Amino acid sequence: MMMSIQKKSTHGSDNFSGLAKSILMDMYKYMVKSRVLEERLIKIYRAGESFFWIGGPGEEAWGVPLGMLAKKGQGPKYDYLHLHYRCSPTLVAMGLDMLSSVRLMMNRSTDRSTGGRNFSNHFCIPEWNIAPVTSPLEVQYPIACGTAHVQKRTKGSQAITIVTGGDAGTAEGDFASSLILASRKNQELPMLITVQNNKWGISTHYEGQHGETFIADRAKAFNIKSQVINANDPVESYIAIQESMDYIRKTGKPAFIEAMVSRLYGHSSASGANPIADEIDPVKEFERRLIKADLLSLSDAKNIWEEYEREGIKAAEQARTEPVPQAESIWDHTYADNENADWRKF
Amino acid sequence: MANMAQAIRMALHYAETNYELKDIFGQDVGAPLGGVFTATQGLKTTWNSTLDERGIIGMAMGIAMAGDRCVAEIQFADYIFNTIDLLKIAGNTLWCTNGQYNLPMTVMTPVGAGIRGSVYHSHSFDAWASRLAGWKVVMPSNPLDAYGLLLSCIKDPNPCLFLKPKALMRVRGEELIPGEPTDEKELKNMIDAPIGDRSKWKAKWPEVSEYLVPFGKGKITRAGDQITVVSYGRHLLLCNEVADQLKTEGYSVEVVDLRSIYPYDWSLIKTSVEKTGRVIFVNEDTEVTNFGEHLAYRVVQELFYHLLARPQVIAGKNVPGIGLHPHLEDASVPQKHDIEKAIREVCAEVP
Ligand SMILES: Cc1ncc(C[n+]2csc(CCOP(=O)(O)OP(=O)(O)O)c2C)c(N)n1
């Protein structure tokens, strides 16, 4: 009796900024699914079934709300997303199935993003306006300005362009290029420019590389509406993203979010992909909060984790049986319509 | 007869009107200047970009990704080098996405020496460009080809690089662009922006029509049977002049204007070299890992037993820059006498 009263009163004091239960539960499920998926990818790497892993564990509380709020579809009337390699949570929230991610991880020819040509989490999904993820850091920022430019002149839509990237990459000139291009007077671009600050490059720490107090301050210099958020809290992320998106859709002007996030398995498989103990785990935190607020039971939580675990195992089993790209395909898609690109055949 | 700058302008006008070209942009590309070589004056969709080459190329890629056609200009090829990884990405996007995202974008940039442009207005880019897989690369030697190649670039679903030989921007051709008025003065009055206040000026476009020079199709500009000279851009004209000059001495030189650097017209080169047994490749990019070397390699591999002499590549010296003083420039990039000397040497070689 005491217990339940306590629980109820805690629920009362945490109103999750007024977000509906259905949104909270969707967020939770997508966050768990993303985590289980990434941990599955790491297992695939450890089993020697893939060459490299890089991904997004630790960014779920940022990426999931972003994916839930994006206007999904193809063409300039829908939001464009120029993402980087830690954005699996965003895509999971947009409806990505595990098999698609696992196929990419295992370089199968069935991989819908690259046909087995590129690394894990280098997604490309034109049907959802997911621009190809590239390995060179920061190039997505000026490219994003181009899709936003087209959206600005597209009538009858309030679609925006979203761009993401890490903190260390903001030292590249391309980051500054995008702030400048997005904020030219009377030619502002409808863009949500974001940085996920996990305080790390690969092994180089944030401290020691930055003179600015916040990366977000750089956006302020261009009169871009800008904020820093604790993106280990999905509720805070959801509210901030929603509010920024509303502003961009209404004004046609850019907004900036610096999202403070965790990095839970280090940089990539190149640095071991081992769990890091001293960072906040946003999925576990949110789960605890939901349980405390009586919105989730321990057994439901367990079932959700297990369900996704099964999906991950099944996806890996399936991908294992699927074909891989063949040598003769190297010339394919060098040019549109598979026009010959091999000079030996000119 | 239009000069090359006017031909480019007319092609852009044609594409704005007929190909849904939506953006022509770059540094000083829009009003009032209309480009440092005046090639973008009077057009509807031009705009001035920020002074940021990576911003320009990145933006072009994004515009293309969203499905619109654009022509982006890098003011001088000398300043394209800081965009090279973006150019690589533009070239590999279709491939990396397994055929899902093509980028129908054109980048144009003035190249080469010949205007006493010193170290940073003389760079060539053809050899570099030939290493950008996924791009189509062209370089015209006359206004009509400039018109036809630029329209092919804008129409193409792939990223295309249009290299403009800057020394030829004011040079007139021998053939009219379809629809171009025959009177040069009339054309000038119609489409050249006036000196001084241009705020009220509007171009009056002639009724030009579609004319496409296909990719990978070269052209024989001088017929001959003793030696083949393969070139493009500014040096093509020098090769023509040398061929004409040597003709008076009885030499029979076949000059091939490659026009497309990638894809290139191998069958034209092959047919010509099978006939002449002698070949030189002429361009002004630096000589080590030059595009002409690739062609010479292929000639040696595939046509070795047709050859009567060793092929030669006449190219820019492998020096860090082209110096301002004419002695320096002339010693750095091939001159007429270099071409002439090579032709005499190769023709004199006895197997
Ligand atoms: C242009 C470029 N330089 C270097 C690298 C190699 N590299 C890959 S990730 C990385 C660190 C990136 O750190 P940050 O931008 O903070 O993003 P995070 O990986 O921490 O999310 C580096 C140096 C690269 N991919 N691209």
Side-chain angles (χ1 to χ4, degrees), chain B residues 9-28:
Chain B
R9 230 183 278 157
M10 286 191 278
L12 293 171
H13 163 70
Y14 186 84
E16 277 183 343
T17 319
N18 298 287
Y19 295 168
E20 292 189 55
L21 174 62
K22 296 248 180 77
D23 295 277
I24 303 166
F25 66 107
Q27 294 157 12
D28 308 297

PDB file of all heavy atoms in Angstrom, chain B residues 9-28:
ATOM      1  N   ARG B   9      26.781  31.716 -72.192  1.00  0.00           N
ATOM      2  CA  ARG B   9      25.604  32.463 -71.759  1.00  0.00           C
ATOM      3  C   ARG B   9      24.350  31.973 -72.489  1.00  0.00           C
ATOM      4  O   ARG B   9      23.304  31.764 -71.889  1.00  0.00           O
ATOM      5  CB  ARG B   9      25.826  33.926 -72.115  1.00  0.00           C
ATOM      6  CG  ARG B   9      25.594  34.896 -71.012  1.00  0.00           C
ATOM      7  CD  ARG B   9      25.782  36.304 -71.550  1.00  0.00           C
ATOM      8  NE  ARG B   9      27.166  36.731 -71.603  1.00  0.00           N
ATOM      9  CZ  ARG B   9      27.605  37.702 -72.421  1.00  0.00           C
ATOM     10  NH1 ARG B   9      26.796  38.318 -73.253  1.00  0.00           N
ATOM     11  NH2 ARG B   9      28.871  38.054 -72.402  1.00  0.00           N
ATOM     12  N   MET B  10      24.478  31.781 -73.792  1.00  0.00           N
ATOM     13  CA  MET B  10      23.295  31.349 -74.565  1.00  0.00           C
ATOM     14  C   MET B  10      22.888  29.925 -74.191  1.00  0.00           C
ATOM     15  O   MET B  10      21.693  29.617 -74.126  1.00  0.00           O
ATOM     16  CB  MET B  10      23.564  31.488 -76.068  1.00  0.00           C
ATOM     17  CG  MET B  10      23.541  32.952 -76.512  1.00  0.00           C
ATOM     18  SD  MET B  10      23.544  33.167 -78.305  1.00  0.00           S
ATOM     19  CE  MET B  10      25.276  33.001 -78.687  1.00  0.00           C
ATOM     20  N   ALA B  11      23.873  29.087 -73.926  1.00  0.00           N
ATOM     21  CA  ALA B  11      23.538  27.718 -73.499  1.00  0.00           C
ATOM     22  C   ALA B  11      22.791  27.759 -72.168  1.00  0.00           C
ATOM     23  O   ALA B  11      21.784  27.063 -71.981  1.00  0.00           O
ATOM     24  CB  ALA B  11      24.811  26.879 -73.370  1.00  0.00           C
ATOM     25  N   LEU B  12      23.265  28.598 -71.251  1.00  0.00           N
ATOM     26  CA  LEU B  12      22.610  28.696 -69.942  1.00  0.00           C
ATOM     27  C   LEU B  12      21.192  29.242 -70.100  1.00  0.00           C
ATOM     28  O   LEU B  12      20.255  28.766 -69.448  1.00  0.00           O
ATOM     29  CB  LEU B  12      23.439  29.580 -69.002  1.00  0.00           C
ATOM     30  CG  LEU B  12      24.800  28.987 -68.591  1.00  0.00           C
ATOM     31  CD1 LEU B  12      25.639  30.029 -67.856  1.00  0.00           C
ATOM     32  CD2 LEU B  12      24.631  27.738 -67.719  1.00  0.00           C
ATOM     33  N   HIS B  13      21.055  30.213 -70.980  1.00  0.00           N
ATOM     34  CA  HIS B  13      19.715  30.743 -71.234  1.00  0.00           C
ATOM     35  C   HIS B  13      18.809  29.637 -71.810  1.00  0.00           C
ATOM     36  O   HIS B  13      17.662  29.471 -71.382  1.00  0.00           O
ATOM     37  CB  HIS B  13      19.779  31.919 -72.209  1.00  0.00           C
ATOM     38  CG  HIS B  13      18.443  32.235 -72.813  1.00  0.00           C
ATOM     39  ND1 HIS B  13      17.416  32.794 -72.076  1.00  0.00           N
ATOM     40  CD2 HIS B  13      17.946  32.019 -74.058  1.00  0.00           C
ATOM     41  CE1 HIS B  13      16.356  32.922 -72.850  1.00  0.00           C
ATOM     42  NE2 HIS B  13      16.630  32.453 -74.052  1.00  0.00           N
ATOM     43  N   TYR B  14      19.347  28.887 -72.758  1.00  0.00           N
ATOM     44  CA  TYR B  14      18.556  27.811 -73.350  1.00  0.00           C
ATOM     45  C   TYR B  14      18.115  26.815 -72.260  1.00  0.00           C
ATOM     46  O   TYR B  14      16.960  26.371 -72.215  1.00  0.00           O
ATOM     47  CB  TYR B  14      19.340  27.086 -74.453  1.00  0.00           C
ATOM     48  CG  TYR B  14      18.480  26.076 -75.160  1.00  0.00           C
ATOM     49  CD1 TYR B  14      17.649  26.463 -76.213  1.00  0.00           C
ATOM     50  CD2 TYR B  14      18.424  24.749 -74.720  1.00  0.00           C
ATOM     51  CE1 TYR B  14      16.803  25.553 -76.827  1.00  0.00           C
ATOM     52  CE2 TYR B  14      17.582  23.834 -75.324  1.00  0.00           C
ATOM     53  CZ  TYR B  14      16.775  24.241 -76.381  1.00  0.00           C
ATOM     54  OH  TYR B  14      15.930  23.343 -76.971  1.00  0.00           O
ATOM     55  N   ALA B  15      19.061  26.489 -71.373  1.00  0.00           N
ATOM     56  CA  ALA B  15      18.761  25.495 -70.331  1.00  0.00           C
ATOM     57  C   ALA B  15      17.781  26.040 -69.292  1.00  0.00           C
ATOM     58  O   ALA B  15      16.917  25.310 -68.804  1.00  0.00           O
ATOM     59  CB  ALA B  15      20.050  25.036 -69.659  1.00  0.00           C
ATOM     60  N   GLU B  16      17.896  27.309 -68.967  1.00  0.00           N
ATOM     61  CA  GLU B  16      16.917  27.919 -68.043  1.00  0.00           C
ATOM     62  C   GLU B  16      15.511  27.822 -68.624  1.00  0.00           C
ATOM     63  O   GLU B  16      14.537  27.605 -67.915  1.00  0.00           O
ATOM     64  CB  GLU B  16      17.201  29.421 -67.898  1.00  0.00           C
ATOM     65  CG  GLU B  16      18.244  29.798 -66.920  1.00  0.00           C
ATOM     66  CD  GLU B  16      18.371  31.327 -66.817  1.00  0.00           C
ATOM     67  OE1 GLU B  16      17.889  32.066 -67.704  1.00  0.00           O
ATOM     68  OE2 GLU B  16      18.959  31.766 -65.842  1.00  0.00           O
ATOM     69  N   THR B  17      15.447  28.030 -69.934  1.00  0.00           N
ATOM     70  CA  THR B  17      14.144  28.086 -70.593  1.00  0.00           C
ATOM     71  C   THR B  17      13.588  26.696 -70.891  1.00  0.00           C
ATOM     72  O   THR B  17      12.388  26.483 -70.830  1.00  0.00           O
ATOM     73  CB  THR B  17      14.273  28.875 -71.922  1.00  0.00           C
ATOM     74  OG1 THR B  17      15.125  29.990 -71.691  1.00  0.00           O
ATOM     75  CG2 THR B  17      12.933  29.363 -72.422  1.00  0.00           C
ATOM     76  N   ASN B  18      14.483  25.759 -71.203  1.00  0.00           N
ATOM     77  CA  ASN B  18      13.999  24.465 -71.706  1.00  0.00           C
ATOM     78  C   ASN B  18      14.329  23.242 -70.854  1.00  0.00           C
ATOM     79  O   ASN B  18      13.733  22.200 -71.034  1.00  0.00           O
ATOM     80  CB  ASN B  18      14.559  24.230 -73.114  1.00  0.00           C
ATOM     81  CG  ASN B  18      14.079  25.285 -74.084  1.00  0.00           C
ATOM     82  OD1 ASN B  18      12.917  25.283 -74.484  1.00  0.00           O
ATOM     83  ND2 ASN B  18      14.950  26.222 -74.429  1.00  0.00           N
ATOM     84  N   TYR B  19      15.325  23.351 -69.988  1.00  0.00           N
ATOM     85  CA  TYR B  19      15.716  22.159 -69.213  1.00  0.00           C
ATOM     86  C   TYR B  19      15.406  22.289 -67.722  1.00  0.00           C
ATOM     87  O   TYR B  19      15.957  21.551 -66.909  1.00  0.00           O
ATOM     88  CB  TYR B  19      17.218  21.902 -69.332  1.00  0.00           C
ATOM     89  CG  TYR B  19      17.731  21.547 -70.697  1.00  0.00           C
ATOM     90  CD1 TYR B  19      19.105  21.548 -70.917  1.00  0.00           C
ATOM     91  CD2 TYR B  19      16.899  21.182 -71.748  1.00  0.00           C
ATOM     92  CE1 TYR B  19      19.633  21.221 -72.153  1.00  0.00           C
ATOM     93  CE2 TYR B  19      17.417  20.859 -72.984  1.00  0.00           C
ATOM     94  CZ  TYR B  19      18.783  20.885 -73.187  1.00  0.00           C
ATOM     95  OH  TYR B  19      19.316  20.563 -74.409  1.00  0.00           O
ATOM     96  N   GLU B  20      14.603  23.266 -67.352  1.00  0.00           N
ATOM     97  CA  GLU B  20      14.316  23.477 -65.926  1.00  0.00           C
ATOM     98  C   GLU B  20      15.574  23.687 -65.095  1.00  0.00           C
ATOM     99  O   GLU B  20      15.647  23.253 -63.943  1.00  0.00           O
ATOM    100  CB  GLU B  20      13.505  22.313 -65.357  1.00  0.00           C
ATOM    101  CG  GLU B  20      12.103  22.258 -65.941  1.00  0.00           C
ATOM    102  CD  GLU B  20      11.244  21.254 -65.223  1.00  0.00           C
ATOM    103  OE1 GLU B  20      11.105  21.343 -64.001  1.00  0.00           O
ATOM    104  OE2 GLU B  20      10.707  20.371 -65.907  1.00  0.00           O
ATOM    105  N   LEU B  21      16.573  24.333 -65.696  1.00  0.00           N
ATOM    106  CA  LEU B  21      17.742  24.733 -64.910  1.00  0.00           C
ATOM    107  C   LEU B  21      17.284  25.801 -63.926  1.00  0.00           C
ATOM    108  O   LEU B  21      16.725  26.815 -64.321  1.00  0.00           O
ATOM    109  CB  LEU B  21      18.823  25.277 -65.857  1.00  0.00           C
ATOM    110  CG  LEU B  21      20.061  25.876 -65.193  1.00  0.00           C
ATOM    111  CD1 LEU B  21      20.805  24.842 -64.363  1.00  0.00           C
ATOM    112  CD2 LEU B  21      20.994  26.467 -66.250  1.00  0.00           C
ATOM    113  N   LYS B  22      17.514  25.543 -62.615  1.00  0.00           N
ATOM    114  CA  LYS B  22      16.918  26.430 -61.612  1.00  0.00           C
ATOM    115  C   LYS B  22      17.919  27.351 -60.913  1.00  0.00           C
ATOM    116  O   LYS B  22      17.539  28.349 -60.317  1.00  0.00           O
ATOM    117  CB  LYS B  22      16.231  25.578 -60.528  1.00  0.00           C
ATOM    118  CG  LYS B  22      15.064  24.754 -61.040  1.00  0.00           C
ATOM    119  CD  LYS B  22      13.758  25.268 -60.457  1.00  0.00           C
ATOM    120  CE  LYS B  22      12.559  24.488 -60.938  1.00  0.00           C
ATOM    121  NZ  LYS B  22      12.416  23.193 -60.279  1.00  0.00           N
ATOM    122  N   ASP B  23      19.186  26.960 -60.912  1.00  0.00           N
ATOM    123  CA  ASP B  23      20.189  27.767 -60.213  1.00  0.00           C
ATOM    124  C   ASP B  23      21.475  27.816 -61.018  1.00  0.00           C
ATOM    125  O   ASP B  23      22.001  26.770 -61.420  1.00  0.00           O
ATOM    126  CB  ASP B  23      20.542  27.148 -58.851  1.00  0.00           C
ATOM    127  CG  ASP B  23      19.381  27.139 -57.882  1.00  0.00           C
ATOM    128  OD1 ASP B  23      19.148  28.166 -57.232  1.00  0.00           O
ATOM    129  OD2 ASP B  23      18.707  26.094 -57.773  1.00  0.00           O
ATOM    130  N   ILE B  24      21.963  29.039 -61.227  1.00  0.00           N
ATOM    131  CA  ILE B  24      23.305  29.235 -61.783  1.00  0.00           C
ATOM    132  C   ILE B  24      24.000  30.112 -60.753  1.00  0.00           C
ATOM    133  O   ILE B  24      23.597  31.254 -60.543  1.00  0.00           O
ATOM    134  CB  ILE B  24      23.245  29.959 -63.144  1.00  0.00           C
ATOM    135  CG1 ILE B  24      22.375  29.181 -64.138  1.00  0.00           C
ATOM    136  CG2 ILE B  24      24.647  30.182 -63.702  1.00  0.00           C
ATOM    137  CD1 ILE B  24      21.980  29.987 -65.380  1.00  0.00           C
ATOM    138  N   PHE B  25      24.973  29.585 -60.069  1.00  0.00           N
ATOM    139  CA  PHE B  25      25.513  30.357 -58.945  1.00  0.00           C
ATOM    140  C   PHE B  25      27.001  30.138 -58.746  1.00  0.00           C
ATOM    141  O   PHE B  25      27.591  29.189 -59.252  1.00  0.00           O
ATOM    142  CB  PHE B  25      24.739  30.037 -57.662  1.00  0.00           C
ATOM    143  CG  PHE B  25      24.901  28.609 -57.178  1.00  0.00           C
ATOM    144  CD1 PHE B  25      25.676  28.322 -56.064  1.00  0.00           C
ATOM    145  CD2 PHE B  25      24.274  27.569 -57.827  1.00  0.00           C
ATOM    146  CE1 PHE B  25      25.819  27.018 -55.610  1.00  0.00           C
ATOM    147  CE2 PHE B  25      24.407  26.258 -57.383  1.00  0.00           C
ATOM    148  CZ  PHE B  25      25.190  25.991 -56.274  1.00  0.00           C
ATOM    149  N   GLY B  26      27.572  31.057 -58.010  1.00  0.00           N
ATOM    150  CA  GLY B  26      28.995  31.043 -57.726  1.00  0.00           C
ATOM    151  C   GLY B  26      29.403  32.455 -57.350  1.00  0.00           C
ATOM    152  O   GLY B  26      28.553  33.338 -57.222  1.00  0.00           O
ATOM    153  N   GLN B  27      30.691  32.663 -57.213  1.00  0.00           N
ATOM    154  CA  GLN B  27      31.168  33.978 -56.783  1.00  0.00           C
ATOM    155  C   GLN B  27      31.020  34.990 -57.923  1.00  0.00           C
ATOM    156  O   GLN B  27      31.553  34.766 -59.005  1.00  0.00           O
ATOM    157  CB  GLN B  27      32.624  33.862 -56.329  1.00  0.00           C
ATOM    158  CG  GLN B  27      32.761  32.996 -55.081  1.00  0.00           C
ATOM    159  CD  GLN B  27      34.139  32.391 -54.904  1.00  0.00           C
ATOM    160  OE1 GLN B  27      35.086  32.768 -55.580  1.00  0.00           O
ATOM    161  NE2 GLN B  27      34.257  31.434 -53.992  1.00  0.00           N
ATOM    162  N   ASP B  28      30.299  36.053 -57.688  1.00  0.00           N
ATOM    163  CA  ASP B  28      30.105  37.140 -58.674  1.00  0.00           C
ATOM    164  C   ASP B  28      29.428  36.672 -59.955  1.00  0.00           C
ATOM    165  O   ASP B  28      29.571  37.297 -61.006  1.00  0.00           O
ATOM    166  CB  ASP B  28      31.454  37.806 -59.003  1.00  0.00           C
ATOM    167  CG  ASP B  28      32.202  38.234 -57.755  1.00  0.00           C
ATOM    168  OD1 ASP B  28      31.662  39.089 -57.041  1.00  0.00           O
ATOM    169  OD2 ASP B  28      33.288  37.701 -57.467  1.00  0.00           O
TER     170      ASP B  28
END
